[in-house]
Amino acid sequence: MKLNSYIAFFQTLADPTKFRIVSALRKGEKTVNGLQDGLRLEQTRLSHSLKGLKERGFVVPRRDGKSRVYGLAKEVVPLLKLMDRHVERYYRHAKAAGCVMGCGCIGRCMCKMR
């Protein structure tokens, strides 16, 4: 069970749409409309991604009148900062070793932007 929880956690962050939502919410709470406009996502895709983020404890919704406002769960913020530091160190090391491609991917291209 614990292994599956780790897998679900990292798969959530590996999903580009969910990662973009988390990144947007790092700047502050946003309404669904604000996220939709800022990220240019279809409403159904955004709702599905927000549901997954909520189920895995990344985001917390609250009501503000008729709107639903989303923010990051307070426990997630320090974890994301720790991950940022680790990724930055890893990226610098990979770049120094010549493993970073012109598109920014490490090793083989993951973004298909060659």
Side-chain angles (χ1 to χ4, degrees), residues 67-85:
S67 298
R68 188 170 289 241
V69 180
Y70 286 86
L72 290 177
K74 64 181 178 179
E75 300 85 8
V76 172
V77 175
L79 181 58
L80 292 172
K81 288 179 182 180
L82 178 66
M83 291 172 66
D84 285 343
R85 288 193 302 271

Side-chain angles (χ1 to χ4, degrees), residues 11 26 30 57 60 63 73 76 78 87 95 97 100 110 114:
Q11 282 178 337
R26 290 181 81 171
K30 302 219 180 334
V60 179
R63 282 271 182 212
V76 172
V87 168
K95 192 170 186 177
V100 177
M110 301 293 287
R114 293 183 240 183

Side-chain angles (χ1 to χ4, degrees), residues 24-40:
L25 293 177
R26 290 181 81 171
K27 298 171 187 157
E29 291 184 323
K30 302 219 180 334
T31 63
V32 173
N33 287 337
L35 284 167
Q36 189 174 357
D37 292 343
L39 299 175
R40 293 191 172 117

Side-chain angles (χ1 to χ4, degrees), residues 11-71:
Q11 282 178 337
T12 299
L13 287 180
D15 178 272
T17 302
K18 291 180 181 82
F19 185 82
R20 288 176 59 211
I21 293 168
V22 167
S23 295
L25 293 177
R26 290 181 81 171
K27 298 171 187 157
E29 291 184 323
K30 302 219 180 334
T31 63
V32 173
N33 287 337
L35 284 167
Q36 189 174 357
D37 292 343
L39 299 175
R40 293 191 172 117
L41 293 171
E42 294 175 12
Q43 194 274 331
T44 53
R45 187 174 189 174
L46 178 61
S47 293
H48 178 76
S49 295
L50 284 169
K51 180 181 177 193
L53 287 166
K54 181 183 169 202
E55 287 172 352
R56 293 189 178 99
F58 282 89
V59 299
V60 179
R62 68 175 178 82
R63 282 271 182 212
D64 184 20
K66 292 183 179 181
S67 298
R68 188 170 289 241
V69 180
Y70 286 86

Side-chain angles (χ1 to χ4, degrees), residues 88-114:
E88 182 60 33
R89 279 193 308 267
Y90 174 68
Y91 186 81
R92 280 196 316 263
H93 174 75
K95 192 170 186 177
C99 298
V100 177
M101 302 179 78
C103 59
C105 289
I106 298 172
R108 68 182 175 91
C109 183
M110 301 293 287
C111 69
K112 312 291 188 241
M113 292 182 60
R114 293 183 240 183

